[in-house]
Amino acid sequence: MEKFLISASILSANFAYLGKEINDVIKSGADIIHFDVMDNHYVPNLTIGPLVLKSLREYGIKALIDVHLMSQPVDDLIMNFAIAGANIISFHPESTKHIDRSISLIKEHGCKVGLAFNPSTPLYYLDYLIDELDLILVMSVNPGFEGQTFLPYIFKKISKVKKIINKRKRKILLEVDGGINLENIKKIATFGANIFVIGSAIFKSQFSYKETIRNIRIELDKIKK
Ligand code: DX5
Ligand code: ZN
């Protein structure tokens, strides 16, 4: 059985004490930190850049950092985020003029590479590129904001991506991002997701991060039986 990974989206964290939030959520059981980069151009919101990631590394954050670029263009940011200490970098195919070149840039800088699909972005971008990827990020909300509702038609897309992945010999991870909570995570896992990006359902939970993540794992454990 594949291991399920929880990637906590710091978009929902308190930016006034981001380093502490990351330490707390990792101590509470999150596997990865999801770092949403929004540029007020590709998406209608503005967040954080490589300087913030660099500061977090200098502050002592050792966790795996999964950078989700929702910006246009991406190539300069790819280099700057890799230098700042990113482990995984994902971008959207429509956000760059040369997808293959942007993928190569991520690899050359020693990071794992992900391609991100908005809810309505077709999967044909995978036709020639799937073998270059470590991860496929399926958006289950339109990117830009935390706390949105999971779009039900994405279940079909997740299983399509899973089928494409299963035909390959290499392991490629399937990450789902947006609107994931205790009620729907089990179903999303059943459709084939490996990495679950969770923002508001962790950081805005009425329970502690530890209890919340424990409850999420209980839901995921139900699948293994
Ligand atoms: C949306 C971001 C997501 C978001 C997830 O544009 O890419 O990572 O923070 O937040 P929730 O879990 O609240 O939907
Ligand atoms: Zn994201």
Side-chain angles (χ1 to χ4, degrees):
M1 177 52 69
E2 285 166 322
K3 197 179 172 229
F4 298 125
L5 300 169
I6 296 171
S7 191
S9 169
I10 53 172
L11 185 60
S12 300
N14 189 328
F15 283 94
Y17 43 88
L18 191 52
K20 182 182 178 305
E21 288 274 70
I22 292 177
N23 278 333
D24 287 352
V25 83
I26 289 289
K27 254 189 243 151
S28 303
D31 302 293
I32 306 172
I33 294 299
H34 185 82
F35 199 102
D36 282 312
V37 180
M38 303 179 178
D39 66 348
N40 194 35
H41 169 66
Y42 180 71
V43 288
N45 200 355
L46 185 66
T47 60
I48 42 180
L51 274 179
V52 176
L53 178 45
K54 185 170 176 270
S55 301
L56 290 166
R57 289 298 190 208
E58 285 165 2
Y59 176 72
I61 303 289
K62 302 265 187 295
L64 268 184
I65 298 202
D66 159 29
V67 172
H68 176 193
L69 294 178
M70 287 160 277
S71 56
Q72 195 172 23
V74 290
D75 289 354
D76 284 347
L77 284 175
I78 286 170
M79 287 187 279
N80 291 330
F81 269 109
I83 293 164
N87 302 99
I88 305 167
I89 301 180
S90 301
F91 66 93
H92 291 253
E94 325 85 318
S95 69
T96 184
K97 282 190 180 139
H98 303 283
I99 306 171
D100 196 332
R101 183 179 294 158
S102 301
I103 289 174
S104 303
L105 209 50
I106 295 174
K107 290 184 177 178
E108 278 162 24
H109 285 79
C111 295
K112 299 281 182 205
V113 55
L115 202 59
F117 291 82
N118 284 331
S120 60
T121 303
L123 295 172
Y124 57 66
Y125 288 104
L126 294 173
D127 289 356
Y128 300 101
L129 293 168
I130 185 150
D131 291 321
E132 305 304 317
L133 303 176
D134 298 300
L135 181 155
I136 297 170
L137 197 171
V138 175
M139 291 301 300
S140 37
V141 298
N142 286 298
F145 302 95
E146 55 151 341
Q148 302 182 78
T149 305
F150 187 98
L151 295 163
Y153 68 85
I154 297 303
F155 284 117
K156 202 170 151 195
K157 194 169 190 179
I158 297 169
S159 43
K160 267 194 180 175
V161 172
K162 193 66 181 179
K163 273 191 198 132
I164 296 171
I165 287 176
N166 284 344
K167 286 190 188 137
R168 316 315 298 177
K169 290 201 182 81
R170 280 171 58 246
K171 187 171 172 70
I172 301 168
L173 295 167
L174 201 172
E175 178 173 30
V176 178
D177 183 3
I180 302 180
N181 55 42
L182 263 186
E183 281 68 51
N184 61 19
I185 194 163
K186 191 175 144 225
K187 186 169 174 189
I188 298 164
T190 313
F191 275 73
N194 312 108
I195 306 181
F196 304 84
V197 176
I198 309 177
S200 50
I202 292 178
F203 289 101
K204 305 278 164 74
S205 165
Q206 55 172 315
F207 303 107
S208 68
Y209 298 162
K210 199 167 195 150
E211 275 174 278
T212 306
I213 293 171
R214 192 193 308 130
N215 289 334
I216 292 169
R217 299 256 186 233
I218 290 172
E219 279 304 299
L220 289 171
D221 280 348
K222 289 181 188 167
I223 296 174
K224 294 175 191 164
K225 284 163 199 156

